[in-house]
Structure formats: C-alpha cells, structure tokens
Amino acid sequence: MFFIRTASLRDIEPVRLLLAATWHATYDAIYGADKVKELIAAWHSPQAMKDRIEKKGGEFLVADDGRRIGGMAYGSMSTKMAKTALLHQLYVAPEFQRQGVGRDLFAELETCFPDAEIMRLEVEPKNTVAIAFYEGVGFVEVDRIERMAGIEGLPGIVMEKSLTR
C-alpha cells in the first residue's frame, strides 16, 4: 500500500529511476528510444528535479510504500493564467499502474491549490492510456497545440478540469 507525501531531496534518484522506466515504457513506441533518452536527460536531470522540489508555489508528491517510490506528481500555479494550476507530471511505475496509485496522487494534488479554479495539463495525443485516465478524473479536451512543453515536433492535447468546490 502506497501513501502520498511531499517529495524531498532524498527522493530525486528514486524518482528519476521511476521516470526513466515509465517514460521508456510509455514513449519508446511513440518517439523512439533515442528521443526518449534525450528528453529524460533534459527534463529529469538531478538539477531539474531539485528545482521542482524546491519551487515556491509548486507541489511535488510521491507515492511511497516505505520501500520504494511507485509514482510521482508535480503541479504548480500558473504565472500566466489566473486561478489556474498546471499539472506538469503524473507518472506511475509500470508495475503499479491500474492499482489506484495515479488516482491517489491526483486526488491529493488537486487539493494543494486552494486558489485554483481550473487545473490544466498537456498530454501526448498518442498516449491514450493517459488521456483515458485524465478523462476518468474529470478532465476534458479544450485545445490542441503543435508544441507541447514548448518543444517543436511534440504536438499535444490541452485538457482542463474545474476545481470549483
């Protein structure tokens, strides 16, 4: 059984290992293993992870069972859109997917931004498993973009969920 807690600096390496395994399982068939390695190196470096953990206004959560990290989620308030929280990452280790870990991470994360009225995310259009998950927790597609995360050649679907309580 996993419990959800705030990530700390000691979680950087376990989370990086989780992200590498999850990204290869999810994206190798879409982008190819070499492109995935390149994205992992750029987006999940130790410094990038440290920056997210320490970001003011950000929430970095992990699912921990006392022996290992089974999932992670990271969100922050938008600096460009009023009352909007951004879900940057939500990943669950392949062996723990479809066991409620992602749902538990998301349920905790959406409570972390009391001033937000909307949560927004970008997702790869070919990642149908993630799209189905997000729809299952209340997100709807609101737009399509050509540059997900600002990267040329990475199209994305923009999804939003109302957080009005």
Side-chain angles (χ1 to χ4, degrees):
M1 172 156 200
F2 288 94
F3 63 94
I4 309 305
R5 64 171 174 79
T6 300
S8 70
L9 295 177
R10 73 177 185 277
D11 296 315
I12 289 174
E13 269 318 299
V15 170
R16 289 184 71 235
L17 291 171
L18 169 123
L19 288 169
T22 305
W23 270 59
H24 281 294
T26 304
Y27 298 115
D28 279 4
I30 298 171
Y31 302 129
D34 289 341
K35 181 66 172 178
V36 171
K37 282 182 193 174
E38 178 186 319
L39 291 170
I40 289 169
W43 290 352
H44 308 311
S45 69
Q47 186 61 51
M49 303 303 288
K50 182 177 186 289
D51 291 347
R52 288 182 198 120
I53 288 171
E54 295 177 341
K55 181 177 177 166
K56 184 174 172 48
E59 289 292 337
F60 195 129
L61 304 175
V62 293
D64 185 342
D65 72 356
R67 294 174 300 167
R68 63 192 170 251
I69 303 297
M72 62 78 62
Y74 173 67
S76 67
M77 286 299 291
S78 173
T79 58
K80 297 177 181 170
M81 294 174 280
K83 299 186 185 246
T84 301
L86 304 174
L87 174 57
H88 299 286
Q89 296 177 293
L90 194 157
Y91 292 99
V92 175
E95 65 268 28
F96 300 120
Q97 291 177 2
R98 293 185 162 72
Q99 296 179 30
V101 177
R103 191 170 295 274
D104 290 348
L105 280 162
F106 179 73
E108 181 66 25
L109 190 66
E110 73 178 332
T111 69
C112 292
F113 304 101
D115 294 334
E117 293 178 0
I118 293 170
M119 185 167 281
R120 184 179 178 104
L121 62 86
E122 297 174 1
V123 62
E124 160 62 53
K126 294 178 184 170
N127 190 348
T128 56
V129 172
I131 293 167
F133 171 81
Y134 292 128
E135 289 173 341
V137 295
F139 282 86
V140 295
E141 180 177 335
V142 296
D143 199 6
R144 297 248 173 172
I145 55 175
E146 295 298 318
R147 297 170 52 101
M148 187 168 53
I151 306 292
E152 189 65 44
L154 291 183
I157 294 173
V158 178
M159 301 181 84
E160 290 183 350
K161 177 183 180 177
S162 173
L163 298 179
T164 52
R165 292 146 178 98

